[in-house]
Structure formats: structure tokens, C-alpha cells
Amino acid sequence: MEEQAQDRREIAFLHSGEFLQGDFDSMDHQPNESPVEHDHDHKPSIKEVDFFAAKIQPYDIDHVRTTRIVGSSGFNDRLNLVNSRLGISSDDGDDKTKTQISRLKLELQRLHEENLKLKHLVDEISESYNDLQSRVLLARSQTQVEGPIKQHEDIIPQAVSQGLEDRRPMGMNNEVTATTLKRRSPDDINDRDLHQSSPKTPKLDQNKNTTSHEEQQSPHDQLPFRKARVSVRARSDATTVNDGCQWRKYGQKMAKGNPCPRAYYRCTMAVGCPVRKQVQRCAEDTTILTTTYEGNHNHPLPPSATAMAATTSAAAAMLLSGSTTSNFHQTLSSPSATSSAPSFYHNFPYTSTIATLSASAPFPTITLDLTNPPRLLQPPQPQPQFLSQYGPTAFLTNANQIRSMNSNNNNNQQLSLPNMFGPQAPQVPRDMVDTVRAAIAMDPNFTAALAAAISNIMGGGNNNDNNNNNNNKVDEKSGGSSNGDSPQLPQSCTTFSTN
DNA sequence: CGAGTTTGACCCGCGC
DNA sequence: GCGCGGGTCAAACTCG
Ligand SMILES: [Zn+2]
């Protein structure tokens, strides 16, 4: 009930056109107003606070709640801080000033501590999220496939990667596949070394050695399992998008049909991290940068990177969770609304119009399109063209569009988004709107923020408001961090396309 | 000098 | 079998 009301309110807000400005103002200049303006109890509080923001992701509710509490306290403190500071400067003597200063220091310290706590929390949340996600994935695929259920148990965080990553025929990718796939084999331990040691032989070995269950099952009656990819389209002048990770370029190629070269990067935050990304400018519009992520990080991420990471894994999960089911065939055969391609998420309410799987494409790919022209307040207008590169697809509109769409279709709330993690999760990630709103306001890493929000949705929908706030944070502070480039992302139509 | 980038060569899958 | 294209490797190079 209450939620619905709130949602409506937010939608209204979006449409009102204050969407952008509201937050700009409140965030930059009048922190204390934001709470008043938007929400009574949640998100606004955290927006200012932390720093680890991005880290908070869709996890389980308990964590979320905790986080929120902590966060808001921090925020309030901050408010006091600001207010008092203002008071000081205006009219008082040294003594007062000094007391104030010392008070401020104390507060600062406290804030610092809280930040640390938050950080901790975030880590925990992150873990539990991963764990949860993997379990859900496994459970899901197992219920449908009737696969071995035990795995479920021993597979921990990494299971995520497992679940998300490929089961495609070997040889197509190397280490990535190797690392992620091999877990079951005894060689597992060597995985890390694979990367460094002999790049080419391992490939071959894999081809032979990989006798893993998954692999063997699939060949015939199942579609080849592939590694999911998540690509993000955003406007950026920089050569790459600042997603908070450290990347090392390992190759560049001219792609067919595009004058702009495609650059290949791999994550260097951890030695054996399988994550890679491809960066390429759009042929038609060179201001648009398409970044395609593949794989999951096998190491802790800095706050600024978690958003994107969460997105990619969630999105990938979304793809693969569907593709890994045995039902998939049936799905394939059933004609689907949007395209010639099979409906991917047949079992999701709106999915037929959201995503489809193109059998022709080498990888299932989700595309987040953040390039749409300003003013997302207008009615949704999916733009199929840009997906051409990835083949026939359907779309997932962005947060706002999703919202408005939903509101059109069934009076509001409830993101209809892939309920992939189960029938439950009826809750609306309303925070998503906040995330987007705030992210846009703060920009630099809007991509990441939005992505995180989306991952919220995809991750099961029930979460917290923290995400948003956090994301903002990240944007703010980490924006200038390591990588240094920040896309200019107006707002967006978030589009998902699956190949 | 180490870390990151550049770039040509190479591998592999796929379609013809 | 051949050619093409995507993806990766690794020596050479650049930069701080
Ligand atoms: Zn990584």
C-alpha cells in the first residue's frame, strides 16, 4: 500500500521534470532539503554519507535494513555538521568557534567510524548477495533441469561466476572460460596459473580435458551454453568508461563494419581475475561508447566498481538463468512477441517484450543503453536500431521507462522486470528511481549507478534504498578515481538486448 | 625499471 | 579446405 503510494509519487516526480534538478540542488547545496523533498524515511539519508556507496547492492533485506539505519544516522550527522558550520561562520566569537570546531572534529571522527562500519557492512552484504545469487541460480536451474543438487552446497561465491559464466563450447575463450568452468575438475587449483603460464596450451587442454558435466550434457540436446555479456552504451569522450575497476589493455582490433577499433581489456585488480571488457565506439555516433563486460570478478571490488560488477553479474545471470534451463528449448520453439528471436524470459510477466534470445549471436548479451537523449520523462520510445549490432532483440527500457510503462500497464509500481529470482520479489525497487535520479544528478558514473539499480531489479527486486544513495556517493567521490574517465551520460533508455 | 600500451601474429570457430 | 572475422598473445615500445 504504502509502497504503491510512494511509487506513484516517484513516477509523478519523474514526469514532473524535477527529476534532474531536484537532486542537483539538494545534493550540491542543500543537503538538508533532500530528505524533505523526496522521502520521509529512506534514501535521502545516505546520499551524502558514504563513499562506499556503490557497494551496497541488492542483497538481503536484513542487511539492507541495517545499512540503511547506519546510513541515515550518518547523514543526519552530516546535516548537523553543515548547519552548525553555517551558524558559526556567521556571527560568533573565537571560543564558540573553537568549540564548534572541536565538535565538528568529533563528528567527523564519528562519521569516519561509521563509514568504516558501513564499509564493513557493504562487504558483508556483497558476500551474501553473491552467495544468495548463486544459490538462487543454482536452485533455479536445478529445479528445472533436475541437475545434481549437491553442487549447490559446495558452490560458494564463485558459483556466481559459474552460473553466470559460460558453458559454451570450449575454445572460444580462454582463460576466462577456463577459470570459471574448471572449478569442478581437480585442476581447479591451477586455474590461476593458467593465465600466466601457458596461455595457449591451456586452451587446448581445456578442449580435451573439459569433460565437465555441464559441458557434456549440453552438446546435443541443449543449446550451447555461452558466456553472458553485458554491454553498456554510454556517451563518453573518454576512451573507456570509468567503472571503478582497473583494466589492462591486451589487444585492439578493427572490427568489421566499424571504422573504430575495438579495444580489449582485462581486469587487473586481481591476478587471475577473469573479467574482460571490450570497448568500442559506435560507428554511427562516435560519441557513444559501447563497453561489453564478460565474466565476474573473483576478488573484492572497490566501492566504485561494485555497481558495474553487480550489474554485469546480475544481467548475465538473468540471461543465463533462462538459458540454462531445459525448458529453454520449448521456449525457443514458442513464438514470441517481439521478434523472430525466441522469447527468452517466457516465464516472466513482461519478458516477451523485454528480452529475447537470438540464437545466432555468439553470446547472450544484455545491452544497457544509456545514450538516449535527455528527458526521460517522456513516454517510452524504444529504439531498436542501436541494437543492430547484436542482432534481433527486444528491449528492456530503462528504469524510468520501466516505471512509466508499468504505471501505464498496471497502474504503477512493480517493476515487471525479470523476476528471475523467483516468483516472490514482488516488491518494487523504487529505489531504482532514486538511484537513477540521483545518479543523473551527480553524474560521472551514472552508468554504474544505473547499472546497479538495474541489477537491483534483476536481482530480485527487494531492496533497500541504500543502493541508490550509495551509488551516488560513488559517483561523487570515486568519479575522479583511478580510471579517470567519466562518461557524460545524460539519461537514458536502458535497453537490454539479448542475442 | 616496472607497468601499461601498441601492434602484428596467431589461434580458433564458422560459413561457404 | 579455405578464407574471414573475433579474440588473444607477446614482443616491442612508451611512460612515469
Ligand atoms: Zn576483476
Side-chain angles (χ1 to χ4, degrees):
Chain A
M1 289 277 109
E2 205 182 277
E3 286 187 8
Q4 296 191 355
Q6 216 148 49
D7 272 330
R8 261 179 238 127
R9 209 150 55 78
E10 290 186 355
I11 292 168
F13 185 58
L14 288 177
H15 286 278
S16 73
E18 296 172 11
F19 180 85
L20 293 177
Q21 291 168 354
D23 261 5
F24 266 115
D25 293 340
S26 57
M27 304 222 61
D28 292 340
H29 314 299
Q30 304 156 341
N32 18 353
E33 284 190 13
S34 58
V36 178
E37 253 197 348
H38 325 292
D39 271 274
H40 338 313
D41 32 352
H42 11 278
K43 58 302 236 24
S45 31
I46 305 183
K47 278 175 184 166
E48 300 257 352
V49 181
D50 65 274
F51 203 112
F52 324 102
K55 285 202 121 179
I56 301 188
Q57 294 161 9
Y59 309 100
D60 64 319
I61 286 196
D62 290 334
H63 285 303
V64 163
R65 293 226 171 98
T66 323
T67 317
R68 185 192 301 160
I69 292 165
V70 176
S72 42
S73 74
F75 181 76
N76 290 335
D77 292 343
R78 172 80 164 267
L79 284 185
N80 293 337
L81 225 173
V82 172
N83 291 337
S84 49
R85 202 212 260 127
L86 289 177
I88 299 166
S89 55
S90 51
D91 45 7
D92 283 301
D94 278 358
D95 283 355
K96 246 186 177 175
T97 312
K98 284 178 183 174
T99 27
Q100 292 276 21
I101 289 177
S102 55
R103 213 184 90 205
L104 293 182
K105 282 182 181 173
L106 283 178
E107 302 244 343
L108 260 179
Q109 195 171 351
R110 223 182 70 215
L111 279 176
H112 187 68
E113 287 170 8
E114 284 194 354
N115 270 345
L116 288 180
K117 286 181 197 167
L118 270 178
K119 196 176 184 177
H120 219 78
L121 250 175
V122 162
D123 286 340
E124 286 176 15
I125 291 172
S126 200
E127 267 182 41
S128 60
Y129 170 61
N130 286 336
D131 185 52
L132 201 73
Q133 195 178 38
S134 59
R135 284 166 187 271
V136 170
L137 279 176
L138 283 170
R140 226 181 123 78
S141 59
Q142 280 164 11
T143 41
Q144 300 189 6
V145 187
E146 290 181 345
I149 307 181
K150 328 154 195 180
Q151 293 182 2
H152 174 301
E153 299 275 34
D154 11 31
I155 304 176
I156 351 164
Q158 286 212 330
V160 178
S161 310
Q162 290 293 334
L164 301 185
E165 304 210 348
D166 65 320
R167 290 96 187 273
R168 62 174 154 153
M170 302 311 289
M172 289 202 60
N173 56 280
N174 340 327
E175 304 112 271
V176 187
T177 315
T179 5
T180 49
L181 278 181
K182 296 207 338 189
R183 69 118 191 320
R184 11 60 201 215
S185 66
D187 336 328
D188 201 3
I189 309 154
N190 304 330
D191 285 348
R192 302 163 218 140
D193 305 333
L194 275 182
H195 306 279
Q196 281 92 14
S197 53
S198 49
K200 294 180 183 177
T201 38
K203 251 188 205 169
L204 300 177
D205 291 349
Q206 291 165 25
N207 285 329
K208 298 170 185 176
N209 295 343
T210 354
T211 43
S212 68
H213 4 313
E214 301 151 46
E215 213 90 273
Q216 295 199 316
Q217 301 174 352
S218 46
H220 312 305
D221 51 18
Q222 300 189 353
L223 279 187
F225 292 115
R226 313 219 151 142
K227 173 171 300 179
R229 291 182 172 184
V230 179
S231 61
V232 178
R233 285 167 50 94
R235 294 189 186 279
S236 173
D237 293 333
T239 53
T240 190
V241 172
N242 177 18
D243 47 27
C245 277
Q246 293 178 344
W247 301 96
R248 175 174 180 169
K249 190 175 183 178
Y250 67 88
Q252 176 169 317
K253 276 212 94 170
M254 294 304 298
K256 188 189 171 191
N258 191 337
C260 307
R262 174 184 301 159
Y264 299 89
Y265 297 85
R266 71 166 51 110
C267 174
T268 58
M269 296 194 77
V271 209
C273 183
V275 177
R276 304 195 173 191
K277 75 171 179 181
Q278 301 176 3
V279 178
Q280 185 169 33
R281 293 206 169 274
C282 179
E284 300 89 33
D285 184 352
T286 55
T287 64
I288 296 177
L289 202 62
T290 302
T291 307
T292 303
Y293 297 88
E294 178 180 315
N296 292 275
H297 296 278
N298 61 0
H299 52 87
L301 292 168
S304 52
T306 49
M308 187 59 80
T311 304
T312 55
S313 46
M318 188 166 119
L319 282 177
L320 291 179
S321 72
S323 67
T324 50
T325 66
S326 59
N327 293 337
F328 189 57
H329 291 290
Q330 295 151 18
T331 314
L332 287 181
S333 45
S334 75
S336 81
T338 7
S339 68
S340 56
S343 169
F344 190 69
Y345 300 107
H346 56 296
N347 38 0
F348 302 142
Y350 297 79
T351 47
S352 60
T353 60
I354 288 172
T356 58
L357 180 74
S358 162
S360 61
F363 309 98
T365 301
I366 279 185
T367 301
L368 293 171
D369 193 304
L370 307 178
T371 62
N372 262 12
R375 288 301 125 172
L376 13 60
L377 312 172
Q378 273 110 38
Q381 329 166 349
Q383 301 181 352
Q385 336 91 285
F386 55 71
L387 296 168
S388 57
Q389 179 183 358
Y390 300 102
T393 52
F395 321 90
L396 227 193
T397 56
N398 78 351
N400 309 291
Q401 289 183 344
I402 288 168
R403 278 192 165 266
S404 35
M405 285 173 82
N406 288 333
S407 60
N408 293 339
N409 295 342
N410 31 328
N411 37 265
N412 84 38
Q413 85 268 140
Q414 296 295 327
L415 282 201
S416 55
L417 265 202
N419 218 349
M420 60 175 298
F421 291 110
Q424 81 299 49
Q427 299 167 7
V428 188
R430 60 168 159 303
D431 39 301
M432 176 147 179
V433 172
D434 298 309
T435 305
V436 174
R437 182 204 303 146
I440 289 173
M442 319 286 310
D443 169 278
N445 292 355
F446 173 49
T447 310
L450 176 60
I454 289 165
S455 84
N456 291 351
I457 297 175
M458 298 191 298
N462 36 357
N463 9 5
N464 53 32
D465 314 295
N466 296 331
N467 296 340
N468 346 333
N469 315 326
N470 303 326
N471 295 332
N472 309 334
K473 250 347 132 344
V474 176
D475 297 343
E476 249 183 326
K477 318 216 164 162
S478 68
S481 72
S482 48
N483 300 356
D485 20 321
S486 48
Q488 304 161 353
L489 309 164
Q491 56 237 129
S492 51
C493 158
T494 305
T495 305
F496 286 76
S497 70
T498 58
N499 304 324

